[in-house]
Amino acid sequence: MATAEVRRATVDDAERVAALLHDFNTEFDTDSPGPVLLAERLRGLLAGAQTFALLSGDPAVGIALVTLRPNVWYEGPVALLDEMYVAPQARGAGIGGAIVDRLIADCLRDGVSAIEINVDEGDVDAQRFYARHGFHGSDPDTDERALYFFQEL
């Protein structure tokens, strides 16, 4: 199997990134503001230093959207993998793994100290996928499960 090529998205890719994010939410019955509004938001975010996206395919069929933030516990920023999606017709070809490998490589190169990912409890396929790529759903020192809480404002 050939390794999937992964590249950093530019502002010019905002529409494709938005379309993939919209498809992701639509596939999993989650509300989406729609690709037009997402693209508008992404143009600003991708132009800045705190958000980047990785794309695979031409046209892109795989996406990772990542935000960076400072953190008092780490010397470098912490990356949050906000979204990762591979279109259904492209799954099983190594695209997701290639995206994660590129994410880790870019984060190491850029001095990122940690990568965080939130995964739904019932999404055992995603949990297994991330575990295969070295991520943990529990604290490696204490083996306590990590939990995610949020409140929309």
Side-chain angles (χ1 to χ4, degrees), residues 64-81:
L65 183 66
V66 182
T67 53
L68 302 169
R69 64 177 167 78
N71 185 298
V72 69
W73 303 113
Y74 295 104
E75 186 174 331
V78 172
L80 175 62
L81 178 56

Side-chain angles (χ1 to χ4, degrees), residues 91-104:
R91 293 179 188 152
I95 292 170
I99 289 172
V100 169
D101 290 346
R102 173 69 186 263
L103 169 64
I104 293 169

Side-chain angles (χ1 to χ4, degrees), residues 8-150:
R8 283 264 187 150
T10 68
V11 173
D12 292 337
D13 294 306
E15 284 77 14
R16 186 65 191 143
V17 172
L20 286 166
L21 294 175
H22 176 76
D23 291 349
F24 176 47
N25 279 21
T26 301
E27 180 179 341
F28 294 99
D29 296 321
T30 303
D31 288 337
S32 169
V36 172
L37 181 56
L38 288 170
E40 180 181 314
R41 292 175 183 169
L42 283 161
R43 277 189 284 281
L45 292 170
L46 293 173
Q50 284 85 29
T51 302
F52 68 92
L54 300 172
L55 294 171
S56 183
D58 187 19
V61 292
I63 171 80
L65 183 66
V66 182
T67 53
L68 302 169
R69 64 177 167 78
N71 185 298
V72 69
W73 303 113
Y74 295 104
E75 186 174 331
V78 172
L80 175 62
L81 178 56
D82 288 309
E83 303 292 354
M84 184 165 149
Y85 177 69
V86 176
Q89 73 277 9
R91 293 179 188 152
I95 292 170
I99 289 172
V100 169
D101 290 346
R102 173 69 186 263
L103 169 64
I104 293 169
D106 282 9
C107 286
L108 285 168
R109 180 198 68 215
D110 296 342
V112 172
S113 295
I115 301 170
E116 297 176 340
I117 306 167
N118 299 311
V119 179
D120 294 335
E121 183 177 14
D123 195 349
V124 294
D125 290 338
Q127 292 172 38
R128 281 193 295 264
F129 172 82
Y130 291 121
R132 278 195 316 271
H133 292 278
F135 293 89
H136 307 278
S138 58
D139 184 314
D141 295 328
T142 65
D143 208 30
E144 282 187 308
R145 284 190 53 119
L147 300 175
Y148 165 74
F149 292 81
F150 79 99

